[in-house]
């Protein structure tokens, strides 16, 4: 029996990834959606979560795809209504939100799943397997993309709690925390446009538990070729994950990988967590982001305007 | 048998509080210290922790009183050398540091104690007892002090990771997390002097788990009367903790309290944790600070200069 599912927030990530993955899944049946803009493909669209929860008692699970600043209240209401919850990344706007949702889900024996889609990328499990038993000498995260291309008009990303360049950068951290030993921030800088509340770039230095260095170069200002790489030097060769984990080389040689299925993988995992009555909420990627805000230096950089300036009327 | 203790960082808090509390304790015997400046009263003073750990194999426990940016490395080295560790607040410069220290201590069956001295203030347990069974309608933290009086020349407080006004503010949060229901940041502002890396003031709005509001007004720029209050309205009257938890009134009537013994209380607790082979590391106060850095808006305010400007030589 497919789990009756509702989706909240029919923005870019829902349209591009969640709806196709749900449509392809035998485990879930999409019933309805709540969203400020747009329509649910089932034709049952609500403008707020409380009205949807009251009007659709049959739904069993809810996927939360709205901006992170609004995620907690909706997830709390869904858990209080007895629904299982999938949280898009990041799982909350603060760590305390995530802690409270975990407590609430555990008390009610509901599944709470903090989805880190990049961990489902084709190269991630092969990379983890390849690294087992090797000594890591150093690692670099290089995550440079053009925010105008990938986040057009997403004003929430620049607002406090929107995370700025960490919105994509947390994907890299979700992979790194999965395949590398534990690591700690030792210093770095966050670059804030003079007119925005969230950083447009971050340059961070970490140390892994055994002393090897890890650096992260996150930048939203990249034009031309885009880079989403994690490069790892070991005592037995060099591993490179590129295109966000879609490709992998060892000493420059491309490795065979399974086909891309990130969001399908998330819904397979959500279904199996529900079936098992289990939770999966790894806070480490968001904790590293919080640590960067807590510990790194702030630098002010050039103002960023999402749209080209409109000439003033004479 | 008294536990042989070393102290690291003989700055203001060690001189004012730790050394007198250790001297008054039958549970600990101070053996030596490591500090960049100053001397340990035992006459055995080292300039770095590694040299002290190598030169003093008899020490069993170490109290870490240095600035938070340097706490992790010293605590890790002490745990790796088999010592129990007390961490002054905050327990680290990042949450990941605290998580790693907890893992390390647990693996080695050593005591790690994140000391929140304000929780030992005379009014805290009486307040907690008085609140039990009452409905909280709202609460306010008002923590306004003159940084020039209380933190003279403490440059680390202004550097990245030094926490700024949260250095005292985390004391309020350590009490609030102990006596109030769980709460979440919903918004607020951090005020950064244009020449400093840490906030000089914070104005924060939280909501408690049952929906009641909590606000925090933290300010380092207070001159004249200083305020360290937590004011709580309940369905059965108004509780006020003042002077950082040293005094307590109910509906304006002063309550009888035990004598002040914050740091003595910490060392009693540290001794009992060591005897029981237990840990006590509550990360909630630091997590709320990290959440504020992650979620609140940044405002730039007037530059802050710790010392009066020295006239330039002509």
């Amino acid at each position: 029996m497919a789990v009756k599912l509702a989706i909240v927030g029919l923005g870019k990530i829902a349209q591009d990834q969640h709806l196709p993955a749900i449509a392809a899944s035998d485990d879930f049946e999409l019933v309805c959606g709540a969203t400020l803009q747009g329509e649910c493909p089932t034709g049952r669209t609500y403008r707020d979560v409380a009205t949807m929860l009251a009007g659709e008692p049959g739904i069993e699970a809810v996927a939360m795809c709205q901006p992170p600043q609004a995620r907690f209240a909706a997830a709390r209401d869904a858990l209080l209504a007895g629904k299982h919850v999938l949280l898009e990344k990041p799982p909350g706007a603060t760590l305390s939100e995530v802690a409270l949702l975990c407590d609430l889900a555990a008390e009610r024996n509901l599944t709470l799943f903090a989805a880190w889609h990049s961990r489902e990328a084709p190269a991630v499990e092969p990379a983890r397997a390849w690294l087992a038993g090797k000594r890591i000498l150093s690692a670099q995260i290089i995550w440079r993309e053009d925010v105008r291309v990938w986040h057009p008009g997403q004003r929430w990303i620049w607002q406090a709690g929107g995370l700025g360049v960490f919105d994509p950068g947390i994907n890299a951290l979700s992979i790194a925390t999965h395949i590398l030993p534990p690591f700690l921030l030792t210093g770095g800088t966050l670059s804030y446009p003079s007119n925005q509340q969230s950083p447009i770039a971050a340059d961070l230095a970490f140390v892994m538990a055994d002393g090897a260095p890890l650096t992260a170069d996150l930048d939203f200002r990249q034009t031309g070729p885009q880079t989403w790489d994690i490069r790892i030097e070991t005592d037995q060769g060099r591993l490179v994950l590129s295109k966000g984990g879609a490709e992998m080389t060892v000493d420059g040689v491309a490795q065979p990988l399974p086909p891309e299925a990130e969001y399908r993988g998330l819904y397979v995992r959500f279904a199996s967590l529900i079936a098992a009555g289990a939770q999966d909420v790894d806070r480490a990627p968001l904790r590293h982001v919080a640590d960067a805000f807590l510990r790194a230096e702030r630098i002010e950089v050039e103002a960023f305007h999402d749209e080209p300036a409109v000439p003033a009327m004479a």
Side-chain angles (χ1 to χ4, degrees), chain A residues 1-6 22 25-29 58-64 78-79 82-87 105 108-114 265-281:
Chain A
M1 276 279 284
V3 174
K4 292 188 193 318
L5 180 74
I22 295 163
S25 169
D26 292 332
D27 296 320
F28 292 95
E29 175 198 342
I59 59 179
E60 298 161 276
V62 186
M64 299 293 175
L79 291 168
K83 316 304 181 191
H84 306 293
V85 170
L86 177 153
L87 300 165
R108 290 164 186 265
N109 290 313
L110 293 167
T111 290
L112 182 66
F113 176 34
L266 290 183
Y267 280 92
V268 168
R269 177 140 185 79
F270 189 32
S272 70
L273 289 167
I274 292 171
Q279 293 203 33
D280 178 0
V281 184

Side-chain angles (χ1 to χ4, degrees), chain A residues 124-201:
Chain A
V124 171
E125 289 306 328
R128 190 173 148 110
W130 187 84
L131 287 167
K134 298 189 174 68
R135 192 158 71 85
I136 295 172
L137 306 176
S138 67
Q140 279 179 288
I141 293 168
I142 304 172
W143 225 254
R144 302 176 71 94
E145 68 180 45
D146 186 340
V147 66
R148 290 187 171 85
V149 172
W150 299 98
H151 304 275
Q154 292 183 357
R155 280 195 39 71
W156 59 267
I157 223 167
W158 295 110
Q159 293 163 354
L163 302 190
V165 74
F166 286 101
D167 181 72
I170 204 170
N171 296 334
L173 290 167
S174 76
I175 297 175
T177 49
H178 192 63
I179 67 174
L180 296 176
F183 51 85
L184 289 177
L185 188 72
T186 54
T189 57
L190 303 185
S191 296
Y192 286 84
S194 57
N195 62 335
Q196 302 292 357
Q197 284 291 337
S198 291
I200 198 164

Side-chain angles (χ1 to χ4, degrees), chain A residues 9-310:
Chain A
L10 286 158
K12 182 168 167 57
I13 196 67
Q15 301 288 350
D16 291 355
Q17 299 288 353
H18 287 263
L19 292 179
I22 295 163
S25 169
D26 292 332
D27 296 320
F28 292 95
E29 175 198 342
L30 185 65
V31 173
C32 58
T35 188
L36 293 176
Q37 296 191 310
E39 296 297 327
C40 184
T42 64
R44 286 154 76 172
T45 309
Y46 297 80
R47 294 297 168 212
D48 71 276
V49 175
T51 308
M52 180 183 78
L53 291 170
E56 299 276 3
I59 59 179
E60 298 161 276
V62 186
M64 299 293 175
C65 310
Q66 71 277 69
Q69 295 97 329
R71 206 157 283 158
F72 172 78
R76 178 199 55 204
D77 289 353
L79 291 168
L80 290 173
K83 316 304 181 191
H84 306 293
V85 170
L86 177 153
L87 300 165
E88 241 300 349
K89 60 89 198 178
T94 65
L95 288 160
S96 298
E97 288 181 359
V98 184
L100 263 186
L101 291 179
C102 284
D103 291 347
L104 204 54
E107 282 164 16
R108 290 164 186 265
N109 290 313
L110 293 167
T111 290
L112 182 66
F113 176 34
W116 298 108
H117 65 84
S118 290
R119 289 186 179 169
E120 304 286 338
V124 171
E125 289 306 328
R128 190 173 148 110
W130 187 84
L131 287 167
K134 298 189 174 68
R135 192 158 71 85
I136 295 172
L137 306 176
S138 67
Q140 279 179 288
I141 293 168
I142 304 172
W143 225 254
R144 302 176 71 94
E145 68 180 45
D146 186 340
V147 66
R148 290 187 171 85
V149 172
W150 299 98
H151 304 275
Q154 292 183 357
R155 280 195 39 71
W156 59 267
I157 223 167
W158 295 110
Q159 293 163 354
L163 302 190
V165 74
F166 286 101
D167 181 72
I170 204 170
N171 296 334
L173 290 167
S174 76
I175 297 175
T177 49
H178 192 63
I179 67 174
L180 296 176
F183 51 85
L184 289 177
L185 188 72
T186 54
T189 57
L190 303 185
S191 296
Y192 286 84
S194 57
N195 62 335
Q196 302 292 357
Q197 284 291 337
S198 291
I200 198 164
D203 195 355
L204 303 172
F206 301 87
V207 63
M208 289 181 259
D210 58 358
L214 166 68
T215 57
D217 167 5
L218 315 178
D219 206 316
F220 252 167
R221 297 166 298 191
Q222 183 77 1
T223 53
Q226 312 272 298
T227 304
W228 297 279
D229 282 8
I230 299 178
R231 304 174 187 170
I232 303 169
E233 300 287 346
T234 78
D235 59 346
Q236 294 168 56
R238 180 177 214 227
L239 178 76
V240 176
L241 301 193
S242 53
K243 299 189 179 172
E247 296 179 1
M248 169 171 156
T249 62
V250 172
D251 292 329
V253 179
Q255 305 295 304
L257 297 175
E260 191 288 319
E262 285 190 25
Y263 279 80
R264 289 196 194 196
L266 290 183
Y267 280 92
V268 168
R269 177 140 185 79
F270 189 32
S272 70
L273 289 167
I274 292 171
Q279 293 203 33
D280 178 0
V281 184
D282 183 2
R283 308 174 206 184
L286 185 58
R287 196 184 64 215
H288 281 296
V289 175
D291 285 347
F293 279 80
L294 198 57
R295 183 72 174 87
E297 299 204 3
R298 291 169 301 105
I299 299 176
E300 187 173 305
V301 297
E302 193 183 358
F304 173 80
H305 299 282
D306 199 5
E307 273 86 27
V310 177

